[in-house]
Amino acid sequence: MAERKPIESWLTDMDGVLIHEGTPIPGADSFIKRLRELERPFLVLTNNSMFTPRDLHARLNRMGLDVPVENIWTSALATAQFLEDQRPGGTAYVIGEAGLTTALHDVGYILTDAEPDYVVLGETRTYSFESLTKAIRLINDGARFIATNPDATGPSTEGALPATGAVSALITKATGREPYFVGKPNPLMMRAGLNAIGAHSESSAMIGDRMDTDVLAGLEAGMETFLVLSGVTRPDEIGRFPYGPSRVAESIADLVDLV
């Protein structure tokens, strides 16, 4: 097996790696501080499309994690970039929050329910039957179906919440149309992120807490992968997957010295 190049750039998931239920995970501040001190190219990624990078910067800053806006990459940004590449200046009916609508506005998309080119499904805490019905009818009428990410559930202090993947399954059942998922584990999101910081996959690493999104996305994008056990995937679940991470660590604190 060919020896990998030294890691020069880092991509890391946010929830379950840097923070958990609104509090920073021990070691996250040291990891970010070291990246910035050594001027290593890095991105904090999230499949959650609800918030803009500015929102997330402020949220992380309140927790003591100083992550610049330009170092935050969301599935909403990746989705907007994908649609701009596919159909510049297009139209979309959007179910989601400001993170998604702002990203689409910024690339020149018009948001409408009148014969849109795309139906774009993102994350929201207020999915409504009315908006889902509208999406189903527009897809049946010919709109292409895009979803920001395939996560079936999201975390909350009360327990799991239905997320984009689960809601998209409802729409698929009603229309017979599968969405194109832009976020992790689609390597498209990872490669777009690497391009954003001028990094190369062979000298980059991905840190995540989920085997089915973070590790898989990093693997398919050609990066070294680190699974931390501070989030979703439990130790006994790792062997159930037909692929594995380059390394398993208890938490981000164990990776600070690798930067």
Side-chain angles (χ1 to χ4, degrees), residues 37-57:
E37 287 177 346
L38 297 176
E39 298 183 347
R40 296 280 192 263
F42 77 96
L43 279 181
V44 172
L45 297 95
T46 177
N47 256 1
N48 191 315
S49 63
M50 290 198 297
F51 305 106
T52 68
R54 287 177 60 189
D55 296 332
L56 293 173
H57 163 75

Side-chain angles (χ1 to χ4, degrees), residues 79-92 103-111 116-118 144:
T79 298
Q81 182 173 313
F82 170 75
L83 292 180
E84 183 185 26
D85 291 341
Q86 289 288 304
R87 181 167 292 202
T91 59
L104 288 169
H105 274 303
D106 286 347
V107 299
Y109 255 63
I110 295 172
L111 308 188
D117 300 317
Y118 298 95
R144 298 162 182 82

Side-chain angles (χ1 to χ4, degrees), residues 44-177:
V44 172
L45 297 95
T46 177
N47 256 1
N48 191 315
S49 63
M50 290 198 297
F51 305 106
T52 68
R54 287 177 60 189
D55 296 332
L56 293 173
H57 163 75
R59 178 185 175 197
L60 292 170
N61 198 50
R62 286 195 298 272
M63 300 180 202
L65 302 178
D66 188 11
V67 181
V69 171
E70 59 270 21
N71 292 97
I72 297 173
W73 188 246
T74 72
S75 63
L77 294 176
T79 298
Q81 182 173 313
F82 170 75
L83 292 180
E84 183 185 26
D85 291 341
Q86 289 288 304
R87 181 167 292 202
T91 59
Y93 176 70
V94 178
I95 298 175
E97 300 290 341
L100 182 55
T101 56
T102 300
L104 288 169
H105 274 303
D106 286 347
V107 299
Y109 255 63
I110 295 172
L111 308 188
T112 179
D113 61 0
E115 299 182 356
D117 300 317
Y118 298 95
V119 165
V120 183
L121 177 68
E123 212 77 62
T124 177
R125 298 288 171 85
T126 57
Y127 290 112
S128 75
F129 188 76
E130 181 181 359
S131 63
L132 295 177
T133 300
K134 173 67 75 173
I136 289 165
R137 290 172 180 170
L138 291 171
I139 291 168
N140 283 335
D141 288 339
R144 298 162 182 82
F145 186 17
I146 303 290
T148 56
N149 64 289
D151 300 62
T153 61
S156 79
T157 54
E158 294 81 25
L161 292 170
T164 308
V167 178
S168 69
L170 182 155
I171 296 175
T172 294
K173 190 71 173 178
T175 62
R177 301 279 191 87

